[in-house]
């Protein structure tokens, strides 16, 4: 049951007052398989992930630490490719969590990678991802980023503004003042499409459909009053397509739509696809062009707390295919290739953050404040979005009664909250290890050095072995940036 009011109002009359605590769980030691990594279990009372005791991980790598179940990540990649099938493409959204090894895993499992900045692009290239399997996103791509994307042969660019269409056309036509291969202008487009490095990327126009997903206001992205995409209602999307088609060096591929995050059903996709395909009908009528690709973005939800109930990805995939086929049949359109861009749904569930308890304060019998050695610098989502999480005593089991708790960090902010309302055993003590589940997406990738705290490592585990993906930052790393 949610304790954060949805901006569109209560969905099923299940929104509690903000300070109403949840009911305690029946078993504080239980690990809900819908929330915890697939490789998580208790062995002799201790949490193990990927066959490794978390006490051993804390001893070797310290705390806080992100512990990533490699087989969970790979398995979810396979779930998506198998669910959507050969007639669709799946691209991992690197913004959820990005490092070279993880992008290699995604590529190994048959996924492409979508990136939002030049930095993410460089990680993907350094990981050996085929540039043709990279999609470049971003609402304000720098000219240098577009130049790099074109120079390396990135497969797709999702354009987000009229200025960007002009910049991309400039880069593909007049980069360094040269034509493609020294050929006259009328041959530039064909030359670039046939080459690899320097090839013109296929262009997707990002459309704002006016559909708002049932998520927090700050992460719902398809209503008109926001920074992303071209509005359908204003006619901007139609004009964007005209400008792409008018640029001789740009290769129009189709349309892109992203309606939000933490989406648990396909109703919003149905409406969005209908509106996007209405634009496809107008494109055919005005330009005689069929769209080759329809990218419906990501936003597939995961379970953070027991009340979360995301749909099975097989059901989602079948529903999206059915929606697109039905909408195309009704409009008399050829069925375009469907693309989806899961990020959280792949990276989120397989990672936990491991903390050590430092202090415990009982506040007037209201709740206990449990302070850990991390906080908002490694997980800003609770402070930023009011996100909810599940946590558990990880270093041992306990038969003590449940203690209403607030898991907080070590930063100099009253809003430094990791888990707002949770139950931990009443015998919890400093030195115990607490694990917070489902922290693989938008935690390490949004981490900061607030209060000059170094960012934690990311440690992958699999079959009883561990390895560092991103090492722990040191104070020396931070001080090296200070020119004094």
């Amino acid at each position: 049951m949610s304790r954060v009011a949805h901006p569109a109002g209560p969905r099923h009359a299940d929104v509690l007052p903000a300070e109403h605590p949840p009911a305690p769980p029946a078993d504080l030691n239980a690990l809900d398989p819908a929330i915890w990594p697939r490789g998580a279990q208790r062995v002799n009372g201790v949490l193990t992930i990927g066959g490794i005791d978390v006490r051993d991980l804390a001893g070797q790598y310290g705390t806080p630490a992100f512990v990533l179940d490699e087989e969970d990540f790979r398995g979810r990649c396979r779930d998506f490719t198998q669910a959507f099938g050969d007639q669709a493409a799946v691209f991992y959204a690197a913004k959820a969590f990005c490092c070279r090894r993880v992008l290699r895993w995604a590529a190994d499992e048959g996924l492409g990678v979508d990136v939002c900045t030049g930095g993410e692009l460089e990680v993907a290239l350094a990981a050996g991802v085929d540039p043709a399997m990279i999609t470049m996103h971003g609402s304000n791509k720098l000219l240098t980023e577009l130049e790099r994307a074109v120079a390396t042969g990135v497969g797709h660019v999702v354009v987000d503004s009229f200025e960007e269409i002009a910049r991309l056309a400039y880069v593909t036509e007049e980069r360094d003042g040269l034509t493609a291969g020294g050929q006259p202008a009328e041959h530039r487009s064909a030359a670039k499409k046939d080459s690899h490095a320097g090839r013109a990327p296929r262009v997707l126009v990002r459309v704002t459909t006016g559909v708002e997903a049932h998520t927090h206001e700050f992460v719902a992205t398809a209503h008109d009053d926001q920074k992303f995409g071209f509005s359908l209602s204003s006619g901007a999307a139609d004009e964007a397509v005209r400008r792409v088609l008018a640029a001789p060096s740009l290769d129009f591929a189709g349309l892109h739509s992203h309606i939000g995050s933490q989406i648990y059903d396909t109703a919003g996709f149905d409406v969005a696809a209908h509106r996007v395909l209405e634009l496809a009908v107008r494109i055919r009528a005005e330009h005689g062009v069929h769209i080759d690709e329809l990218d419906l973005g990501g936003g597939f939800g995961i379970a953070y707390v027991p009340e979360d109930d995301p749909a099975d990805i097989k059901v989602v995939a079948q529903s999206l295919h059915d929606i697109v086929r039905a909408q195309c049949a009704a409009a008399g359109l050829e069925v375009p290739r469907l693309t989806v861009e899961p990020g959280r749904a792949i990276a989120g569930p397989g990672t936990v953050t491991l903390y050590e308890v430092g202090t415990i304060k009982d506040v007037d019998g209201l709740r206990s404040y449990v302070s850990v050695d991390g906080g908002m610098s490694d997980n800003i989502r609770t402070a930023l979005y009011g996100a909810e999480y599940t946590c558990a005593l990880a270093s041992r089991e306990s038969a003590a009664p449940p203690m209403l708790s607030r898991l907080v960090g070590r930063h100099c902010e009253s809003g430094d909250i990791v888990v707002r309302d949770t139950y931990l055993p009443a015998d919890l003590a400093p030195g115990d290890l607490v694990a917070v589940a489902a922290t693989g997406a938008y935690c390490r990738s949004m981490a900061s050095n607030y209060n000059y705290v170094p960012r934690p490592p990311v440690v992958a585990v699999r079959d009883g072995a561990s390895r560092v993906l991103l090492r722990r930052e040191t104070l020396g790393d931070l001080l090296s940036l200070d020119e004094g």
Side-chain angles (χ1 to χ4, degrees):
M1 185 175 291
S2 174
R3 287 165 296 285
V4 179
H6 184 268
R11 284 169 289 172
H12 303 288
D14 63 353
V15 177
L16 293 173
E19 293 305 314
H20 192 293
D27 182 359
L28 286 177
N29 300 302
L31 302 175
D32 187 336
I35 297 172
W36 293 85
R38 292 171 177 174
Q41 60 180 322
R42 287 194 185 271
V43 177
N44 297 323
V46 179
L47 176 64
T48 67
I49 303 174
I52 305 180
D53 186 316
V54 294
R55 296 172 301 183
D56 295 333
L57 292 169
Q60 182 173 357
Y61 301 108
T63 57
F66 294 103
V67 180
L68 191 166
D69 181 343
E70 177 181 345
E71 186 52 41
D72 186 293
F73 185 99
R74 287 180 176 272
R76 293 178 195 277
C77 289
R78 292 192 292 271
D79 289 347
F80 268 87
T81 58
Q82 291 167 7
F84 279 92
D86 296 337
Q87 301 305 309
V90 180
F91 279 63
Y92 170 64
K95 63 180 180 176
F97 174 64
C98 183
C99 74
R100 286 180 293 180
R101 181 81 61 175
V102 157
L103 298 191
R104 287 192 200 109
W105 294 346
D108 289 346
E109 301 297 342
L111 276 65
V113 174
D114 85 55
V115 300
C116 295
T117 65
E120 290 180 354
L121 173 59
E122 292 304 324
V123 176
L125 294 171
V129 177
D130 179 359
M133 292 296 291
I134 297 174
T135 295
M136 186 77 181
H137 279 272
S139 60
N140 182 22
K141 303 175 191 68
L142 305 180
L143 182 60
T144 54
E145 293 173 331
L146 291 173
E147 289 172 339
R148 179 68 168 153
V150 171
T152 55
V154 160
H156 291 79
V157 171
V158 181
V159 293
D160 202 89
S161 67
F162 294 125
E163 292 88 350
E164 186 179 308
I165 294 171
R167 288 173 192 154
L168 185 59
Y170 167 78
V171 168
T172 54
E173 292 177 3
E174 303 295 339
R175 186 184 49 180
D176 300 327
L178 300 175
T179 62
Q183 299 176 37
E186 59 267 25
H187 299 306
R188 294 176 195 168
S189 180
K192 287 191 177 184
K193 292 174 191 174
D194 291 341
S195 66
H196 183 69
R199 170 186 57 195
R202 304 211 74 196
V203 175
L204 295 167
V205 172
R206 179 161 180 170
V207 173
T208 304
T209 61
V211 177
E212 181 177 357
H214 282 182
T215 54
H216 192 286
E217 182 179 5
F218 296 133
V219 292
T221 54
H223 52 87
D224 282 345
D225 188 12
Q226 45 100 15
K227 72 175 187 175
F228 292 105
F230 296 95
S231 168
L232 276 174
S233 61
S234 71
D238 298 72
E239 178 60 21
V241 172
R242 290 186 194 104
R243 296 191 189 190
V244 171
L245 289 171
S249 65
L250 298 184
D251 182 10
F252 176 67
L255 303 171
H256 180 284
S257 170
H258 180 75
I259 62 172
S261 298
Q262 273 298 87
I263 302 167
Y264 286 169
D265 59 47
T266 58
F269 289 109
D270 194 354
V271 178
H274 176 72
R275 294 180 182 177
V276 171
L277 290 171
E278 285 180 334
L279 172 59
V281 170
R282 296 198 296 274
I283 293 170
R284 181 186 60 185
E286 181 176 348
H287 307 286
V289 172
H290 291 272
I291 64 169
D292 294 332
E293 303 178 36
L294 175 61
D295 190 330
L296 291 179
F300 308 103
I302 67 170
Y304 285 101
V305 294
E307 294 75 23
D308 292 338
D309 187 26
D312 183 276
I313 193 58
K314 295 185 182 68
V315 175
V316 172
Q318 185 61 53
S319 179
L320 290 185
H321 277 300
D322 290 346
I323 287 167
V324 172
R325 283 193 289 263
Q327 298 284 1
C328 287
L333 293 171
E334 298 175 11
V335 178
R337 186 188 76 165
L338 176 64
T339 300
V340 292
E341 300 169 342
R344 182 198 318 266
I346 288 175
T351 295
V352 306
T353 309
L354 197 60
Y355 298 105
E356 182 177 312
V357 175
T359 66
I360 302 171
K361 293 181 181 179
D362 181 64
V363 180
D364 297 329
L366 295 175
R367 63 171 54 85
S368 293
Y369 279 77
V370 178
S371 295
V372 295
D373 51 356
M376 65 191 306
S377 62
D378 59 70
N379 188 345
I380 192 64
R381 294 187 67 255
T382 306
L384 188 62
Y385 300 134
E388 296 178 288
Y389 285 96
T390 296
C391 67
L393 173 60
S395 48
R396 59 183 175 90
E397 279 186 325
S398 173
M403 172 179 69
L404 180 61
S405 305
R406 181 160 291 172
L407 196 71
V408 297
R410 58 191 293 246
H411 298 284
C412 193
E413 289 286 339
S414 60
D416 179 21
I417 298 170
V418 181
V419 185
R420 179 170 295 277
D421 291 305
T422 189
Y423 285 90
L424 290 165
D427 63 352
L428 190 75
D432 280 331
L433 298 177
V434 171
V436 178
T439 57
Y442 306 108
C443 289
R444 180 56 175 80
S445 64
M446 297 177 73
S448 73
N449 295 122
Y450 181 51
N451 291 149
Y452 244 68
V453 173
R455 288 178 291 184
V458 180
V459 180
V461 293
R462 187 183 192 186
D463 297 331
S466 64
R467 59 182 169 188
V468 175
L469 302 186
L470 294 175
R471 69 167 175 84
R472 183 183 301 280
E473 289 179 338
T474 67
L475 288 175
D477 292 328
L478 304 188
L479 288 169
S480 69
L481 302 174
D482 189 336
E483 297 293 338

